[in-house]
Amino acid sequence: MNVLEQARAVGDAVLYEGYLLYPYRASAPKNRVRWQWGVLVPPSYASAEIGEHASAGVECLVEPLERTILHVKLRFLRAQPRHETWDEGVEHELDFELPLSELPAEKPFHVHELTGVLTARVDPLDGPFGGARLRVEVHNTTSWPSDGVREHALRHSLLAAHLVLSVDTGHFLSLLDPPEWAKPAVEACRQERLWPVLIGDTSRSTVVLASPIILYDNPSIAAESPGELYDGTEIDEILTLRTMALTDDEKREARATDPRAAAIVDRVDAMPPELLERLHGAVRSVRPVEPSVVVAGVRVASGSKVRLHPNLRGADAQDMFLTGKTATVRVVLSDVDGATHVAVTLDDEPGADLQHAHGRYRYFSPDEIEPLEVPE
């Protein structure tokens, strides 16, 4: 998968995050308030007081060459009535080719009843190191006499709007981990409802995804995921099992709600056991190493007792509930980049020995554990 394909795959996940939620029926209360990410409403409905906006903008740093061309993909959904109680999302993707030497520029666009404009500008950075700050904005300019009803405004809005930025020469710099000279310029960048992350690398790349959901650099889709479930805050395994447990009448209603809901139910109904097993979890590219690691001057190995202190940055949200719990180290692993991972089972969790027998562990880095005793 090349970097643009990776950007599209992650962008698709952003595009449909929260599109419809379990139990995938239009009648479900949680599916009656929709479209929470990247919504650009018409100006007549926009209001900072209610948190609805007609525009979004992103700034990032680029090190261009003399004739660098910026390629912009604007991707969004448009709400289209499917039946009386449900609007389905129709995908749209617009392409813009903007030589940096010709910026600033404004590019109007028209999609069915939607109108808008994409703007871009580039400003050289101060100092001896070169580079430039790129700003791209998207504006919904649709003329619509607002009736104050959000569901009606959404039919004139860009939904889950995001951008894929790429350059044919030169590269973008990470805003999360920039080089030292670029840090003042990064601090001066301003993001408005879009957040730029590199695709394909974590320091510099020719592709940036500007997402309405904050991500880390170089995000990717888990290989174990067999298809979209539209709820990234849930666990695939749990959602799949819940969907399997729906009654026949509930499944019929879900199938009638939206073609994407029907695809979920059909896929779950036909899922073989070995594919369901893959959803339970995975640790990528790790191998057993020396059976110990030194933490705070103490050698930790299989059988060691530790206290857990999960890091906020990069941690699974569920790990936050494990802070302060004690665990038993089962194995020390190292990934292909040489990073160490400590596999543990919780001391107060029923079935810990059974999990150990099946190789089901929770994984933490050495700086997330506190040794409680020295192994024998």
Side-chain angles (χ1 to χ4, degrees), residues 291-337:
S292 64
V293 61
V294 176
V295 179
V298 176
R299 188 167 297 278
V300 173
S302 176
S304 295
K305 297 293 185 179
V306 298
R307 193 179 307 279
L308 303 178
H309 301 284
N311 292 329
L312 177 61
R313 179 180 173 86
D316 187 299
Q318 298 297 319
D319 286 350
M320 297 298 101
F321 297 104
L322 304 180
T323 298
K325 287 187 174 293
T326 61
T328 299
V329 175
R330 299 296 188 173
V331 66
V332 178
L333 302 166
S334 177
D335 63 25
V336 294
D337 296 320

Side-chain angles (χ1 to χ4, degrees), residues 30-168:
K30 65 172 68 174
N31 283 320
R32 294 176 185 170
V33 180
R34 303 175 67 207
W35 317 115
Q36 304 300 313
W37 309 106
V39 177
L40 302 183
V41 299
S44 61
Y45 186 76
S47 168
E49 293 182 357
I50 61 174
E52 302 286 2
H53 302 274
S55 64
V58 64
E59 290 187 351
C60 53
L61 302 186
V62 60
E63 290 189 298
L65 298 182
E66 184 177 354
R67 297 182 179 180
T68 294
I69 295 177
L70 172 69
H71 298 269
V72 180
K73 291 183 182 294
L74 168 60
R75 309 181 75 224
F76 60 93
L77 297 177
R78 178 177 56 86
Q80 175 177 278
R82 175 172 170 79
H83 48 73
E84 185 176 346
T85 59
W86 188 259
D87 286 357
E88 63 183 347
V90 180
E91 288 186 30
H92 292 281
E93 181 176 301
L94 305 178
D95 291 298
F96 304 88
E97 184 176 292
L98 305 170
L100 293 190
S101 61
E102 297 180 10
L103 299 186
E106 294 187 359
K107 296 291 182 179
F109 58 87
H110 183 274
V111 178
H112 293 268
E113 297 180 355
L114 297 178
T115 61
V117 61
L118 181 136
T119 67
R121 64 174 296 141
V122 63
D123 298 299
L125 298 178
D126 295 333
F129 298 104
R133 180 180 295 106
L134 173 69
R135 180 169 183 83
V136 181
E137 297 179 1
V138 183
H139 299 262
N140 184 347
T141 61
T142 304
S143 178
W144 175 65
S146 175
D147 59 6
V149 179
R150 187 175 191 267
E151 289 74 14
H152 298 165
L154 292 176
R155 295 176 181 175
H156 305 272
S157 302
L158 284 68
L159 308 173
H162 61 278
L163 302 170
V164 178
L165 312 177
S166 62
V167 289
D168 59 343

Side-chain angles (χ1 to χ4, degrees), residues 1-17 75 162 198-200 209 211 213 215-232 236 267 278-279 282 284:
M1 179 182 295
N2 64 37
V3 286
L4 283 175
E5 290 172 341
Q6 180 180 341
R8 179 179 293 278
V10 177
D12 285 346
V14 170
L15 198 64
Y16 288 103
E17 172 62 22
R75 309 181 75 224
H162 61 278
L198 299 185
I199 300 296
L209 172 67
S211 165
I213 301 173
L215 303 170
Y216 293 112
D217 283 330
N218 199 27
S220 61
I221 303 300
E224 292 78 18
S225 179
E228 183 58 79
L229 289 167
Y230 305 118
D231 191 349
D236 281 16
R267 186 176 71 245
R278 290 177 58 194
L279 298 182
R284 311 181 197 289

Side-chain angles (χ1 to χ4, degrees), residues 242-364:
R242 284 181 173 179
T243 304
M244 286 179 172
L246 293 175
T247 66
D248 289 343
D249 287 344
E250 289 171 330
K251 289 181 179 180
R252 277 193 290 272
E253 185 182 347
R255 286 187 173 100
T257 292
D258 189 285
R260 295 181 177 90
I264 291 174
V265 175
D266 291 343
R267 186 176 71 245
V268 167
D269 278 353
M271 184 174 291
E274 59 270 21
L275 191 53
L276 180 61
E277 174 70 15
R278 290 177 58 194
L279 298 182
H280 189 75
V283 176
R284 311 181 197 289
S285 304
V286 295
R287 58 183 183 271
V289 290
E290 292 296 325
S292 64
V293 61
V294 176
V295 179
V298 176
R299 188 167 297 278
V300 173
S302 176
S304 295
K305 297 293 185 179
V306 298
R307 193 179 307 279
L308 303 178
H309 301 284
N311 292 329
L312 177 61
R313 179 180 173 86
D316 187 299
Q318 298 297 319
D319 286 350
M320 297 298 101
F321 297 104
L322 304 180
T323 298
K325 287 187 174 293
T326 61
T328 299
V329 175
R330 299 296 188 173
V331 66
V332 178
L333 302 166
S334 177
D335 63 25
V336 294
D337 296 320
T340 300
H341 305 268
V342 180
V344 307
T345 54
L346 298 180
D347 290 344
D348 64 354
E349 189 167 46
D353 290 338
L354 183 61
Q355 292 174 5
H356 177 43
H358 287 272
R360 302 294 190 187
Y361 304 123
R362 300 174 187 268
Y363 295 87
F364 296 90

